[in-house]
Amino acid sequence: MIEDRTKLIHAFGALAELGSEVANKNSFQETIRTSLHLISGALAIMRGGVARYSRYGHELNMLAVRGLGDDFPLSLSLCLEDERQFIANGLNAIETSQAKVLPFFQVYDRSLESRKIELFVPLVVRDEIVGALFLGEKATSLPYTTYEKEIICAMGRHIGVAIAQRNLMAEIERHAEENRKLVDDMRTTYNDTVKAFATAIDCKDKYTEGHSVRVGKYSEIIATELEWGPQEVEGAAVAGYLHDVGKLTVERKIINAPYRINAKESAELNKHPGVGYEILLPIHHPYTNVPLAAKYHHERLDGRGYPDGLYDREIPYIAKLVNLADSFDAMTTDRPYKARRPAADVVDDLRRNAGKQFAPELVTAFLRGMLKELTGDNKEKRFRKLLGREYMEAEGIVPILRTALNEMTPTSPLTYINSEPQAEGPTIL
Amino acid sequence: MIAENHYEPAAPAAENIAVVTAGDYLNKLTGERIERECKDRLEQGCRELVVDFSQTEVINSIGISILLGVIDSAKNSGAKVVFSELNDDSAQLFESLGLTNHVTIA
């Protein structure tokens, strides 16, 4: 009686430890290994193993073994009849000597007998086989009692749940990976479409060929300099690529006019931000602000822009960013009525208009990006590819950039909507 | 005090006899070291493994499983296993679980 009580307390201790082990966030392999120790130690089972069932391969793959030797198969296949019988049996111990009618025990009879496997416990969770326990003879050499089988099944349920959870996690991870690939594919398709659109927009304007593509790239540079995340940088680039999509509806003769257009033509041209917004709004962009960038990329901080004459904080940030990229490209490319301006002039223009037309922190970020490239701190040569080496490396540009950056403040001195103290700007030496 | 601090490696003993001291709490940490140590000794030709339980207060299921592994290894090597200095609780547990069928109690 005392002996039975000692065994019972010891077995319950193992059951409690197993519950705790399964609940812990240890590695799956470690949990299974410990589980086998606990089940073997609970009843002094000389040898055994825990297997996980692969429903794809219809096989039991050993996850942990103790004392089974090198000859014992590490993978044991099940036929449909075995599966059906094991599911019908549920999570109950099967005495191998009594189950030789099943194909599984006929196929593996020699292996099971040579290692004295007395019990086989299919781990059935929610009517699915997730694994199995192989248990050898006990140290007492006595047959398993009913209560010992019940303890084994109770422990088996814990192990079965641990395997089922692991399977579920693996399935979720697999789906997540598939979804990630799908999203990547869709994003690639979207971005390719956007670039094709940008090229189509640029085809309409023979004098500003490549404008949308360049604005997209400048927008990307600014967003990168602002240390935005990869998706936000991508969104900024897309906003730049598509900012002029409304020009598709403007007459070609107005866009390509080799002279300063008159007021009527100008009014027609100035409709393009609103039209662009209408075109882009129904599209489900992966980035939220693309239509707003198209609509407000001609707004200025001082309220003198169009179409709505918005002030500073009324203007969406992405539109301010695209506005800077757009203006920079307009200043640095030849127009039918105007040659491009020298780099030093452009830098000076940006500095002077920071807080009037442009958000100062964006100008700072942009000029900083340019300076980093010229001083070799950034090896990507992003500006050089877009503007040409000769233009970018004009004499005296580096000191001009440094001076401009030293004079810049990171926030707008013109705050029309909400007045807040202005912070000091960074000092670039 | 954690068990591993009390684990002592096999002490030099008479030729072909190795003495392995178990810690105060024979669990996975100490147990696996003992198992490794015993296997090493058996591979070196040890014919008798003496596991000294004089410091051992508690043995859990993992400890039992480890000891079964030691017994199995010793059997395969044709060596003898001796459990020494067992307290009453451990002796009773080993007896009820049948471990005493496979080892000599000293």
Side-chain angles (χ1 to χ4, degrees), chain A residues 185-359:
Chain A
D185 287 349
M186 284 170 70
R187 179 171 287 150
T188 304
T189 306
Y190 173 86
N191 287 339
D192 288 349
T193 308
V194 164
K195 283 175 190 165
F197 250 97
T199 307
I201 299 161
D202 292 343
C203 279
K204 193 149 188 183
D205 186 348
K206 68 176 179 183
Y207 294 109
T208 58
E209 196 180 355
H211 169 70
S212 299
V213 172
R214 286 193 300 274
V215 172
K217 291 189 186 303
Y218 290 134
S219 298
E220 188 179 331
I221 292 171
I222 299 167
T224 304
E225 286 302 320
L226 291 171
E227 297 181 351
W228 287 6
Q231 193 163 342
E232 285 74 22
V233 170
E234 214 169 273
V238 169
Y241 285 127
L242 296 179
H243 76 288
D244 266 349
V245 70
K247 280 188 178 171
L248 287 172
T249 63
V250 179
E251 280 187 65
R252 195 181 285 268
K253 68 175 184 184
I254 296 176
I255 294 174
N256 290 327
Y259 51 83
R260 280 198 182 277
I261 54 177
N262 63 34
K264 192 181 166 194
E265 291 169 328
S266 183
E268 181 65 24
L269 183 63
N270 290 357
K271 285 180 188 167
H272 82 270
V275 173
Y277 176 74
E278 295 299 328
I279 292 171
L280 295 173
L281 194 60
I283 300 169
H284 291 287
H285 302 273
Y287 325 101
T288 53
N289 294 324
V290 175
L292 290 176
K295 186 168 184 177
Y296 295 120
H297 73 273
H298 281 297
E299 298 289 356
R300 298 166 51 104
L301 264 62
D302 57 12
R304 292 171 55 214
Y306 68 94
D308 294 336
L310 300 180
Y311 287 99
D312 198 352
R313 294 187 184 181
E314 292 174 322
I315 308 167
Y317 204 69
I318 188 70
K320 293 178 186 173
L321 187 150
V322 173
N323 171 268
L324 174 60
D326 186 30
S327 303
F328 180 79
D329 187 61
M331 288 188 268
T332 54
T333 48
D334 290 327
R335 298 286 163 125
Y337 49 85
K338 201 174 179 183
R340 73 171 174 178
R341 295 163 58 187
D345 271 14
V346 174
V347 172
D348 191 49
D349 193 296
L350 295 182
R351 181 190 60 78
R352 279 189 292 101
N353 280 298
K356 295 174 189 164
Q357 180 178 352
F358 310 118

Side-chain angles (χ1 to χ4, degrees), chain B residues 36-51:
Chain B
R36 215 165 29 242
E37 177 76 18
C38 289
K39 278 184 179 166
D40 287 348
R41 292 289 167 160
L42 289 167
E43 279 170 16
Q44 288 161 13
C46 159
R47 310 304 301 161
E48 185 173 318
L49 274 172
V50 179
V51 185

